[in-house]
Amino acid sequence: MSRAAVLCGLGGALPERAVSNDELARELDTSDRWIRTRTGIGRRHVVAPGEATSDLAVAAGRDALASAGRGDVDLVVLATSTPDRPCPATAPDVAHRLGLGTVPAFDVSAVCTGFVYALATASSMISAGVAERALVIGADTFSTILDPADRTTRAIFGDGAGAVVLRAGEADEPGALLGFDLGSDGSGGDLITVRAGGSRQRSTPGTPDAGDHFFTMDGRPVFTQAVLNMSRSSQHLLDRIGWTPGEVDKVVAHQANIRILAAVGEQLGLEDKQIVANLDRVGNTVAASIPLALRDAAADGDLQPGHRVLLTGFGGGLTWGSAALVWPALDPAGRTHHPEHHQREDIVMSTPAIETQESLKHRVSALISEKFGLDEAELLSGATFDELEIDSLILVELSLILRKEMDIVLEEGDLKSAFTLDEAVAVIRAKADRA
């Protein structure tokens, strides 16, 4: 049997301070309802003054090593986009503080896909015989790079760290990493970025704009790219290893937004019970997202030995990636929180051929009404999407569903908030006629 990397330990850490939506609403023009309906997030954790990414990474690494039952590894890979310093890498300091001696240690920067990239890197080194045991950590403190006045990013992102221990083993044993699918598209690099602080800005004459040191994200195209690339990457990997989406017990996707998780589920034809979600309690923790979700699901019993597990992520770069394994029996050292389960309505959309403009109009209005809980009579009244408080992400989700269910491909910006339902349907119909 071929040599493989086997997951044998799991841990995580969160900063002590939790920030609720109500607390954010006291500082910014927002509300608990506004945040929950758009993201599914109820609170997030943020580091204290002087607390850094390495502090969370050390705590999560120690947790994972305790879960594995051994304190030694011969490789440390840290996924982070918020290192303690631009130079040197943070991983060597983490390895030193964990008492791991002079093992090789390095950082991987792939933003929210970072953990999957780091997992693939460590797995490959074990499979090649370069290492026997590896500690893989995803850790980020995005609260340190957010604009304090930006209600959108502050509502979404939280700080945290998650970690796993890998050991050399056999490809047919539980916990063995069965395969990876990785990708990137640098043409979308400006969609998720911090513009200042790197060599490009530092070598450019002049002073950067005040906001250039903060993280920025272009929400609508990021939503579309996240859903499409996580779905495609997941399907490519499933095809390669011989699983169907229905045979997967749990999908642990990057915890970016509850609506992105739901849209990925729709693209892959998943049931709600297959999708793991813990973002309501921790927000988007970037590279820590997937391992923290694994840890909470395992500690709560939602993730059981023998489950077929699919991991998938999407982040800046643009980057994306997926991994798969059969879940092993572990001894988690603890858990971050007691999960509260999300319920999402199952939406079934039939796919008969579109015959008339009016039939398409009623299909689209019924879809929006059923999926997003809006009054169909109001949709048919002639009001604009803006007047009906249908936000831009709902229009993005609608575009993705139309792509999947009717093979109608809408470009970014084809559906506008100023449109009435009739105007939107006219655009959709024109696209369908040209398909």
Side-chain angles (χ1 to χ4, degrees):
M1 182 58 63
S2 60
R3 178 181 170 103
V6 178
L7 192 150
C8 64
L10 177 65
L14 293 170
E16 183 176 345
R17 185 186 172 208
V19 178
S20 68
N21 291 345
D22 289 334
E23 183 175 344
L24 282 182
R26 290 193 289 271
E27 299 179 36
L28 303 167
D29 179 21
T30 190
S31 67
D32 177 69
R33 182 179 181 277
W34 189 91
I35 296 170
R36 286 184 187 273
T37 56
R38 286 160 176 77
T39 69
I41 297 168
R43 68 171 183 260
R44 72 287 301 145
H45 289 249
V46 300
V47 291
E51 192 174 17
T53 295
S54 65
D55 300 318
L56 298 179
V58 168
R62 186 175 293 118
D63 205 27
L65 291 168
S67 169
R70 285 179 57 176
D72 63 311
V73 295
D74 51 8
L75 172 67
V76 175
V77 185
L78 171 63
T80 187
S81 298
T82 51
D84 287 9
R85 295 175 284 179
C87 176
T90 301
D93 178 53
V94 172
H96 169 70
R97 290 166 61 184
L98 287 171
L100 299 175
T102 58
V103 301
F106 56 90
D107 293 358
V108 169
S109 180
V111 199
C112 299
T113 321
F115 179 76
V116 178
Y117 269 57
L119 197 66
T121 301
S123 174
S124 298
M125 294 179 75
I126 288 175
S127 296
V130 176
E132 292 296 317
R133 293 173 63 83
L135 176 61
V136 181
I137 307 171
D140 272 301
T141 51
F142 256 51
S143 68
T144 63
I145 60 171
L146 300 180
D147 182 346
D150 186 349
R151 68 172 182 170
T152 300
T153 57
R154 285 193 62 195
I156 292 171
F157 291 95
D159 303 333
V164 299
V165 176
L166 305 179
R167 62 166 175 82
E170 303 293 337
D172 64 346
E173 64 179 296
L177 292 164
L178 302 176
F180 293 91
D181 179 86
L182 304 174
S184 74
D185 179 5
S187 69
D190 285 340
L191 297 179
I192 300 171
T193 189
V194 177
R195 300 188 185 283
S199 62
R200 178 75 65 193
Q201 176 264 310
R202 290 172 182 268
S203 68
T204 301
T207 302
D209 293 339
D212 285 352
H213 289 282
F214 295 126
F215 171 86
T216 62
M217 179 172 65
D218 193 347
R220 286 187 63 169
V222 165
F223 190 107
T224 302
Q225 291 295 321
V227 172
L228 293 179
N229 284 300
M230 282 196 285
S231 302
R232 289 167 180 163
S233 177
S234 295
Q235 191 61 64
H236 290 162
L237 178 59
L238 293 177
D239 291 344
R240 194 179 308 147
I241 65 174
W243 293 358
T244 66
E247 292 173 327
V248 176
D249 295 292
K250 296 296 174 183
V251 175
V252 184
H254 166 54
Q255 305 286 300
N257 179 315
I258 198 66
R259 289 157 67 169
I260 288 178
L261 295 183
V264 170
E266 283 197 75
Q267 293 291 310
L268 292 173
L270 302 172
E271 298 180 23
D272 284 353
K273 66 181 181 180
Q274 293 173 272
I275 302 174
V276 169
N278 75 336
L279 60 87
D280 62 312
R281 304 174 302 286
V282 299
N284 179 342
T285 55
V286 196
S289 168
I290 290 174
L292 280 176
L294 285 171
R295 185 173 187 259
D296 280 354
D300 191 53
D302 194 33
L303 193 55
Q304 293 288 330
H307 274 172
R308 292 184 173 190
V309 180
L310 172 68
L311 315 178
T312 188
F314 173 86
L318 300 171
T319 58
W320 56 86
S322 301
L325 72 158
V326 174
W327 195 250
L330 295 178
D331 180 21
R335 63 170 144 184
T336 52
H337 292 279
H338 295 280
E340 301 160 9
H341 297 286
H342 287 280
Q343 298 293 328
R344 295 194 302 277
E345 294 181 3
D346 292 328
I347 305 303
V348 178
M349 184 173 178
S350 58
T351 57
I354 301 169
E355 296 181 355
T356 67
Q357 183 92 354
E358 194 64 22
S359 67
L360 177 59
K361 176 179 176 179
H362 283 283
R363 284 188 67 191
V364 173
S365 66
L367 170 63
I368 297 174
S369 174
E370 291 171 5
K371 182 166 179 58
F372 304 109
L374 299 169
D375 189 316
E376 190 169 359
E378 291 184 2
L379 287 166
L380 297 170
S381 69
T384 67
F385 290 141
D386 262 339
E387 291 169 338
L388 296 171
E389 297 186 345
I390 295 175
D391 64 46
S392 61
L393 288 186
I394 289 180
L395 299 180
V396 173
E397 288 181 82
L398 177 61
S399 298
L400 291 169
I401 294 169
L402 292 170
R403 179 193 294 251
K404 178 175 183 288
E405 302 292 347
M406 301 184 199
D407 203 26
I408 298 172
V409 179
L410 296 171
E411 302 299 329
E412 174 66 27
D414 278 349
L415 296 183
K416 304 182 186 302
S417 297
F419 280 0
T420 64
L421 180 63
D422 283 324
E423 290 170 326
V425 169
V427 171
I428 295 168
R429 179 76 209 198
K431 291 281 186 176
D433 289 342
R434 290 198 294 268

